[in-house]
Amino acid sequence: MRNDKILDRIFRNFDRLADEYIDLPETIEAENRFWNYMDEKYFANEKNKEKMNFEKIFYEVGLYKERQGFLYGFNYALELLGKNTPL
């Protein structure tokens, strides 16, 4: 992707660019189910530090997956609009 720095700026500031940008209810529910499960099955007897390390890595993976989807989706939308040059 030629201009991924530009897309990166949009991605990193999207919450400020879009009106009323919030997590969708199903996103919140899925995250709550995930953390409830992890707390019950894996972190019940763990030290808080282990959970914090896991959480940091988990969210980092999520960030890069979300960014990847944004970049591919943005370029695909441009193709649908007839723009042959991806950003």
Side-chain angles (χ1 to χ4, degrees):
M1 292 179 210
R2 293 179 339 158
N3 292 314
D4 49 331
K5 288 184 180 183
I6 293 169
L7 288 178
D8 237 10
R9 282 201 339 235
I10 295 170
F11 175 75
R12 293 185 187 282
N13 295 292
F14 193 76
D15 58 330
R16 288 180 239 149
L17 298 171
D19 293 337
E20 300 179 30
Y21 179 80
I22 59 170
D23 283 337
L24 298 173
E26 56 267 23
T27 304
I28 295 168
E29 290 172 17
E31 185 172 5
N32 288 339
R33 281 194 311 272
F34 172 80
W35 286 115
N36 288 337
Y37 177 82
M38 293 302 289
D39 284 342
E40 182 181 313
K41 298 289 183 184
Y42 297 102
F43 295 126
N45 298 318
E46 292 291 325
K47 295 179 181 176
N48 219 11
K49 184 177 180 182
E50 288 302 315
K51 182 178 179 181
M52 288 172 46
N53 289 336
F54 175 83
E55 190 172 327
K56 179 182 175 199
I57 294 167
F58 176 76
Y59 282 123
E60 184 177 357
V61 169
L63 172 70
Y64 285 105
K65 291 283 192 179
E66 187 175 348
R67 180 182 174 274
Q68 174 180 285
F70 177 81
L71 294 174
Y72 286 130
F74 197 94
N75 281 305
Y76 183 68
L78 289 176
E79 285 180 33
L80 292 175
L81 293 171
K83 309 286 185 188
N84 293 330
T85 307
L87 291 179

